[in-house]
Amino acid sequence: MPPPAPLPVLLRPSYAGGPGTALAVRALEAAELGDAAVEAVLRWAVEVGPTVPLPGEGRTLARWELLATVGAQSLTVARVLEPHLDAAAILAEAGEHPQDGSTWGVWAAEGPPPRLEAREVDGSWVLRGRKHWCSLAGEVSDALVTAWVGQDERRLFRVRLDAPGVTVEPSHWVPAGLRRVVTTSVLVEDAEAAPVGEAGWYLERDGFWWGGIGVAAVWYGGAVGLARTLLAHTRTRTPDQVALVHLGEVDADLTAARAALALAAEAVDGDRCTGRDALLLGARTRHVVASAVERVAQRVARAVGPGPLSSDPAHVARVADLGLYVRQHHAERDAAGLGSLVLDEGGPSW
């Protein structure tokens, strides 16, 4: 069975463009980079970055369509591109910008001690401790990292990975998916860093949730890639009722996820996604998309059977990559968080 064509992923009902449109070109480029070295993907991310709209500036839908389009072709490429774009958006919110040619990661997860702490020394900031879950630490030139500036408060800093005192530790990354997006820890011993925003700003800003919805757009793109395989598989034979049920359910789930992303983009650009509303919309949209993605993955697995999983390398990679990627959503725990938000708001909007 030939691989599905590298088509754009649209969050609007129809696509009127042709193969020369910008999104179609990006789809083709992402497909061609699917087996490329991470270094090549990062160079492409540097090239693409300045052309991508920032969230909240009127073209958020186009930004998320790009992320979904790349995700449908290669979740590895999308996993490299998304944090690079996110870092640029974060810096823009803070009135800063990346250096020309720099490549970026964004690392805010917490792990076992010693935690990463920041202190001010003679007017400069230095970091000390260990940062866990640093994706592509051995590949990117720069990173935005959260560090503790007190017992209960964190602040964002920009760090050069080649700075004295920064050591990328050996990786124990042995995943089934996203194998080339190597994640490891970074040991920091009195390395200089530059603060970005005030203490608490990174997690409190509206853009934190806008960026989180952007990740969900990548998940959606990965599910579209699986659905395209299902559609191609179904067309190779006369489908029975069970095959049509799977195809119909997949279409319904993708439609729901697409609608959630489109509505979120309208809210972000319409200045209706700030403060508490940003938190609620972000949690709600991510949960809708993640749930749909997991159902699509299950449906496709049942519908196509073992064939593609044993003979189609692109499908095997997409299944494994998406399974790991969507685990950035914490399933029932995030659903419980959403439920708490609904109660705190005094009742649901429905």
Side-chain angles (χ1 to χ4, degrees):
M1 183 172 59
L7 300 173
V9 174
L10 279 250
L11 301 178
R12 288 172 291 240
S14 62
Y15 176 61
T21 61
L23 201 58
V25 171
R26 296 305 183 205
L28 182 59
E29 291 171 346
E32 292 173 344
L33 285 167
D35 295 323
V38 168
E39 181 182 0
V41 180
L42 283 169
R43 289 197 301 268
W44 178 73
V46 170
E47 174 189 325
V48 169
T51 72
V52 180
L54 293 171
E57 294 192 353
R59 297 185 61 215
T60 301
L61 191 72
R63 178 185 181 89
W64 293 348
E65 285 179 338
L66 170 67
L67 289 171
T69 292
V70 175
Q73 298 309 317
S74 170
L75 286 162
T76 292
V77 174
R79 186 66 182 86
V80 174
L81 175 65
E82 185 277 325
H84 180 83
L85 296 182
D86 190 39
I90 294 166
L91 290 170
E93 282 189 62
E96 303 181 28
H97 57 85
Q99 293 180 329
D100 290 345
S102 56
T103 55
W104 290 80
V106 181
W107 306 327
E110 298 296 330
R115 66 183 191 176
L116 188 63
E117 297 183 341
R119 69 183 192 280
E120 198 170 10
V121 179
D122 298 329
S124 298
W125 285 90
V126 295
L127 306 183
R128 187 175 185 84
R130 178 175 281 110
K131 198 65 179 174
H132 296 270
W133 301 104
C134 299
S135 297
L136 299 172
E139 303 281 355
V140 296
S141 64
D142 296 77
L144 296 176
V145 301
T146 53
W148 295 90
V149 292
Q151 186 62 35
D152 301 309
E153 197 165 37
R154 284 179 286 176
R155 190 170 185 178
L156 191 68
F157 294 85
R158 56 192 296 172
V159 180
R160 291 279 305 176
L161 271 297
D162 60 0
V166 177
T167 303
V168 177
E169 297 189 309
S171 174
H172 302 286
W173 186 242
V174 288
L178 298 173
R179 288 178 177 271
R180 287 179 289 146
V181 187
V182 175
T183 297
T184 186
S185 57
V186 174
L187 181 65
V188 186
E189 299 174 291
D190 295 330
E192 290 191 9
V196 178
E198 299 299 322
W201 172 81
Y202 170 71
L203 295 172
E204 294 169 0
R205 65 196 173 86
D206 300 329
F208 178 81
W209 289 102
W210 302 351
I213 299 173
V215 173
V218 179
W219 301 338
Y220 172 76
V224 168
L226 289 179
R228 288 173 175 172
T229 297
L230 169 61
L231 184 61
H233 178 83
T234 306
R235 284 173 170 165
T236 62
R237 66 197 72 186
T238 301
D240 61 13
Q241 284 295 102
V242 173
L244 293 175
V245 166
H246 286 309
L247 190 60
E249 293 283 3
V250 164
D251 178 75
D253 279 326
L254 291 179
T255 299
R258 183 177 68 236
L261 289 166
L263 286 172
E266 290 180 9
V268 169
D269 287 335
D271 200 27
R272 302 192 307 277
C273 188
T274 58
R276 189 76 171 177
D277 290 339
L279 193 160
L280 180 59
L281 185 65
R284 180 180 287 151
T285 304
R286 282 171 60 89
H287 189 67
V288 168
V289 174
S291 298
V293 165
E294 293 191 317
R295 289 192 298 269
V296 167
Q298 184 181 62
R299 287 282 182 184
V300 171
R302 292 178 177 182
V304 304
L309 281 174
S310 59
S311 62
D312 183 346
H315 180 73
V316 171
R318 183 173 288 112
V319 169
D321 292 350
L322 187 58
L324 178 58
Y325 207 155
V326 80
R327 286 280 57 82
Q328 289 187 4
H329 181 264
H330 302 110
E332 289 81 5
R333 287 183 173 84
D334 281 355
L338 175 58
S340 295
L341 289 171
V342 171
L343 284 180
D344 289 346
E345 289 297 308
S349 59
W350 33 268

